Amino acid sequence: AIWLGMAADEFLCPCLSVMAKVCKMSETVAGVTFLALGNGAPDIFSQVASAVATPHGAEMALGEVLGSSLIVVGVVLGIVMSAVPFTLVAPEFVRDVLFFLGALLWLFCILLDSVINVWESAGFIALYSLYIYAVVSGWAVTKKNRAEANPIAKAEEEAEKKLQLHTVTDTEKTHPGEG
């Protein structure tokens, strides 16, 4: 387990930080998009495989989703919080908890009739899309507020916009119609 933590510390975290910088997003946004997708991708394949492989596979897949969520919230978060104390940003924490509770409530409502249709499934994708929108828009507002409150950050942001404008203009000069 120690080598897994060392691998994440040496490779995963720096790569995620670079991806966040290249995509010009905060590490929070990178965490709820890239890291979450990388963490959840194996679950997608294992759940689909279990759902179609056995007569009660869908029940097993649902149990895996709920069980892994409880492990992440109960065990992983507990270990991280006890090993590395940190301060939560209250609005972001409340947002995340409300979306998590919303997903559980949506699941509860769907399972009341024991039938899941395509539109109900699409509701989960829509909820996650709304969550990503809330995270990104909250990050953009925070970034804008910080830039307005800090004249140096505002000047850096304006210089970055000018640099991007010059880059686009130079691209249009060398490759007309592609900029």
Side-chain angles (χ1 to χ4, degrees):
I2 293 174
W3 61 268
L4 187 60
M6 289 172 50
D9 189 42
E10 292 294 321
F11 301 106
L12 181 64
C13 294
C15 289
L16 191 61
S17 294
V18 169
M19 288 174 66
K21 286 178 185 172
V22 167
C23 295
K24 297 180 180 160
M25 63 175 62
S26 74
E27 290 188 2
T28 301
V29 175
V32 301
T33 54
F34 297 135
L35 186 60
L37 182 61
N39 186 40
D43 290 341
I44 293 169
F45 297 111
S46 66
Q47 289 174 23
V48 169
S50 69
V52 298
T54 63
H56 297 287
E59 295 167 7
M60 185 179 359
L62 181 61
E64 192 276 331
V65 169
L66 295 174
S68 65
S69 295
L70 287 171
I71 287 174
V72 168
V73 171
V75 178
V76 175
L77 190 59
I79 290 171
V80 169
M81 292 174 89
S82 64
V84 184
F86 59 92
T87 304
L88 292 171
V89 179
E92 292 175 3
F93 179 71
V94 169
R95 176 204 60 216
D96 294 347
V97 168
L98 288 176
F99 272 97
F100 188 72
L101 290 174
L104 290 175
L105 181 63
W106 180 247
L107 179 63
F108 179 76
C109 291
I110 289 171
L111 294 178
L112 285 176
D113 66 357
S114 301
V115 178
I116 303 172
N117 64 41
V118 173
W119 297 110
E120 291 170 333
S121 299
F124 285 109
I125 296 169
L127 181 65
Y128 184 71
S129 299
L130 184 62
Y131 173 65
I132 295 299
Y133 177 79
V135 171
V136 171
S137 62
W139 167 71
V141 167
T142 302
K143 183 179 174 185
K144 181 182 176 191
N145 290 343
R146 286 183 185 158
E148 289 174 356
N150 183 349
I152 295 171
K154 188 174 184 177
E156 288 174 350
E157 187 175 319
E158 289 174 6
E160 185 177 313
K161 285 180 184 177
K162 286 180 184 178
L163 179 64
Q164 288 174 353
L165 179 63
H166 289 297
T167 304
V168 169
T169 305
D170 291 343
T171 302
E172 288 175 351
K173 286 178 185 175
T174 57
H175 303 345
E178 293 182 20

